Amino acid sequence: MNDSHIYVGLDIGTTSIKALVCEDVKGELRVVGVGTQPAGGLSRGVIVDIEKTAHAIQAAVRQATEKSGIKIDKVIVGLPANYLQMTEVHGMITVANQGQPREIINQDVIDVASAAMTQNLPPEREVIDLVLRDFAVDDFNKIEDPRGMVAVRLELRATMYSGPKTIVHNTKKAVALAGLQIQDLVVAPIATGFELLSDGEQDFGTVLVDLGGGQTTTSIIHDHQLKFAYVDPEGGNLITHDISTVLNTSQRNAEQLKRDHGYADSRQASDEVQLAVDVVGKNQPVNYSEKYLAEVIEARVRQIFERSQKKLQSINAPQLPGGVVLLGGVAILPGIKEIASEYYDGNVKVYIPDQMGVRHPSFALAIALCKYEDDLRDVDQLLKETVHQEGNFASVVHQVVQQAAQTSAAPQPTRRPAPSRPAPQPSQPEAQAQEQPVDNQPTKKKKKNPFSNFFNNFFD
């Protein structure tokens, strides 16, 4: 896979693993192949058996290769937002040579990013990403790319995202064991928030609710930044478990009932439609109404939304103009939008990809990963280069270490290598996000508005 316009998004989910091959054709990203396999070795969004996960990744990538006809050797991997922490950072360096201004080059961007990352992290955490806010050249700020400008001083404002080494290492190790290189590691809400929302939704603020199989991630995008992320260890698997328990049927039957006949809103289901269900201990199927099945599903869906909404209330999140966007496999349930509207303020919509063959909300992350990488600018790549130069993306495979060294020597890197310094870590606790407000820099006082209490805590 040598074509730089080919991208493979790898979504390592609790219930399924998806490998999506996309090609940039004249600025338009097209899906050319997809592989989907049942997941293995994951619990509530976190890898707990590296070898099982590696085998599932191999199977998904093999299927994507067969369908696309493209040899896949590198992937863009989505990371869950469990225990994600975000911090506003600031870096400054002197560019002048012997007191004389000079042009800013790539190395200056790397140096100022390194200066911004000079924060002591606990040994169990590692920097995942550094997302640009803006540069300042001498007394001029709000600059997106300072290269080529003449300056005495260069400053950088960015958001630094860090996560548990256990999650990051296990992900990288599983991908390496599958025989693949990591082109990029992207926090899932960053990819979906930056790529699936419109410019206005990212600017004014939108809540994303990713209803996955093993967990539900609630995040806030505002001012084109990920401002908040919370992971709740309840997802579609618990809906299946509820159906299995209440109807006394197998997990496989319960999953099939949910997919083929399930409603999130029982008001939309019929009491007259009867479903023949194979019940444990019964020689003949037992009939249950479609409405009864929907009532079982709705009870858990409401609990998921209630927990998400209470978390938003706990941080005094205001009603954001962009409303709420639902994605993930559970979002396909009929009536999900109507139930969500009872818990969230503003407009609620379900994101469904418009590409042929993947028109299902469960493919949202895989598509977003490809779009994210395709949209990266050179200056963004330099920030990513800084992250792995600092030792955070060292490889677990010797071959990838050598590639990392070659990439770091290049003036304009285009690939993020896979990691290198795997250290054994304590076992991962139960999946639950740890959100952290961004460290605010002093700003001018603004006129009070309904958003002020929340923005003062989380936004600049």
Side-chain angles (χ1 to χ4, degrees):
M1 194 175 67
N2 299 318
D3 191 340
S4 60
H5 297 295
I6 297 291
Y7 306 95
V8 181
L10 182 63
D11 177 6
I12 306 175
T14 305
T15 55
S16 67
I17 292 178
K18 303 174 186 66
L20 195 70
V21 185
C22 296
E23 181 179 12
D24 186 329
V25 180
K26 297 181 180 180
E28 181 181 351
L29 206 63
R30 299 177 182 175
V31 175
V32 295
V34 60
T36 304
Q37 290 293 319
L42 285 104
S43 176
R44 296 179 174 180
V46 178
I47 296 175
V48 294
D49 188 319
I50 294 174
E51 289 190 6
K52 284 185 179 179
T53 303
H55 289 315
I57 291 172
Q58 279 182 326
V61 170
R62 189 183 307 115
Q63 186 180 24
T65 298
E66 293 172 355
K67 291 187 176 181
S68 66
I70 296 173
K71 184 179 182 298
I72 298 172
D73 54 29
K74 60 182 178 179
V75 290
I76 305 129
V77 184
L79 279 176
N82 301 63
Y83 298 96
L84 182 70
Q85 291 183 355
M86 49 201 88
T87 309
E88 288 296 312
V89 294
H90 174 264
M92 182 176 69
I93 63 169
T94 299
V95 178
N97 185 11
Q98 297 181 347
Q100 295 299 317
R102 66 168 175 82
E103 282 194 3
I104 297 170
I105 59 175
N106 286 352
Q107 189 59 48
D108 296 320
V109 173
I110 293 175
D111 290 343
V112 74
S114 296
M117 292 173 59
T118 54
Q119 297 197 16
N120 292 325
L121 287 175
E124 70 274 10
R125 301 190 67 80
E126 111 175 33
V127 177
I128 299 173
D129 211 344
L130 192 66
V131 177
L132 174 67
R133 290 181 65 85
D134 65 1
F135 290 96
V137 175
D138 295 337
D139 295 325
F140 302 94
N141 55 17
K142 300 294 183 183
I143 294 174
E144 295 185 358
D145 188 348
R147 293 174 301 170
M149 298 181 181
V150 174
V152 172
R153 183 181 69 255
L154 176 63
E155 297 179 62
L156 165 73
R157 288 198 314 148
T159 304
M160 186 174 72
Y161 298 92
S162 66
K165 281 186 177 179
T166 301
I167 291 179
V168 179
H169 167 70
N170 289 356
T171 302
K172 294 185 288 189
K173 183 75 172 180
V175 174
L177 285 178
L180 300 165
Q181 300 173 24
I182 294 181
Q183 180 176 351
D184 202 352
L185 283 172
V186 187
V187 179
I190 290 180
T192 53
F194 291 6
E195 298 302 328
L196 305 185
L197 300 181
S198 67
D199 185 72
E201 288 172 332
Q202 293 184 56
D203 189 12
F204 289 97
T206 302
V207 175
L208 276 173
V209 182
D210 188 345
L211 300 159
Q215 57 189 23
T216 297
T217 304
T218 303
S219 54
I220 294 177
I221 303 293
H222 177 269
D223 194 22
H224 297 272
Q225 296 282 316
L226 172 63
K227 297 293 187 176
F228 171 83
Y230 166 71
V231 177
D232 184 84
E234 289 197 7
N237 283 353
L238 285 182
I239 298 175
T240 303
H241 179 268
D242 292 344
I243 297 171
S244 174
T245 301
V246 175
L247 274 57
N248 199 24
T249 189
S250 68
Q251 290 279 333
R252 177 178 294 182
N253 289 341
E255 180 68 20
Q256 196 69 33
L257 285 168
K258 181 182 73 175
R259 292 177 181 272
D260 295 345
H261 306 284
Y263 284 83
D265 187 350
S266 61
R267 294 166 295 190
Q268 299 183 17
S270 172
D271 206 11
E272 297 179 357
V273 176
Q274 297 294 306
L275 307 172
V277 179
D278 292 329
V279 174
V280 176
K282 300 285 186 180
N283 294 326
Q284 298 295 328
V286 176
N287 287 333
Y288 290 97
S289 71
E290 184 182 73
K291 187 176 185 65
Y292 184 70
L293 173 65
E295 288 171 348
V296 176
I297 295 173
E298 181 180 334
R300 180 63 69 173
V301 169
R302 285 187 177 276
Q303 181 169 313
I304 291 172
F305 284 143
E306 183 176 1
R307 290 162 68 99
S308 169
Q309 188 252 3
K310 282 184 176 179
K311 195 63 184 181
L312 293 174
Q313 284 184 337
S314 71
I315 59 170
N316 298 317
Q319 177 180 334
L320 297 172
V324 177
V325 177
L326 307 178
L327 54 128
V330 180
I332 199 64
L333 286 172
I336 193 82
K337 185 171 68 172
E338 287 75 10
I339 297 296
S341 298
E342 298 179 23
Y343 292 89
Y344 302 104
D345 295 325
N347 182 54
V348 176
K349 67 179 181 180
V350 177
Y351 176 82
I352 298 179
D354 56 5
Q355 288 86 345
M356 184 70 70
V358 290
R359 291 174 179 168
H360 193 285
S362 63
F363 287 101
L365 175 57
I367 288 177
L369 290 169
C370 295
K371 288 184 176 181
Y372 179 87
E373 200 68 21
D374 191 37
D375 288 343
L376 281 181
R377 303 167 302 173
D378 288 344
V379 69
D380 298 318
Q381 291 281 14
L382 289 176
L383 298 192
K384 290 179 175 292
E385 175 72 11
T386 305
V387 171
H388 69 69
Q389 274 189 343
E390 294 293 324
N392 294 297
F393 285 90
S395 173
V396 294
V397 181
H398 180 65
Q399 177 184 3
V400 184
V401 174
Q402 293 177 326
Q403 292 173 346
Q406 295 171 358
T407 305
S408 62
Q412 296 189 19
T414 58
R415 178 185 300 177
R416 179 199 299 251
S420 88
R421 218 172 45 215
Q425 299 295 327
S427 60
Q428 175 66 24
E430 182 172 309
Q432 180 180 358
Q434 176 179 351
E435 66 284 347
Q436 175 172 320
V438 200
D439 295 334
N440 290 321
Q441 310 232 346
T443 56
K444 295 181 180 179
K445 289 185 178 180
K446 298 182 179 179
K447 188 175 180 181
K448 288 187 177 181
N449 58 63
F451 302 91
S452 60
N453 290 336
F454 180 70
F455 287 179
N456 287 340
N457 290 329
F458 290 91
F459 302 151
D460 278 337

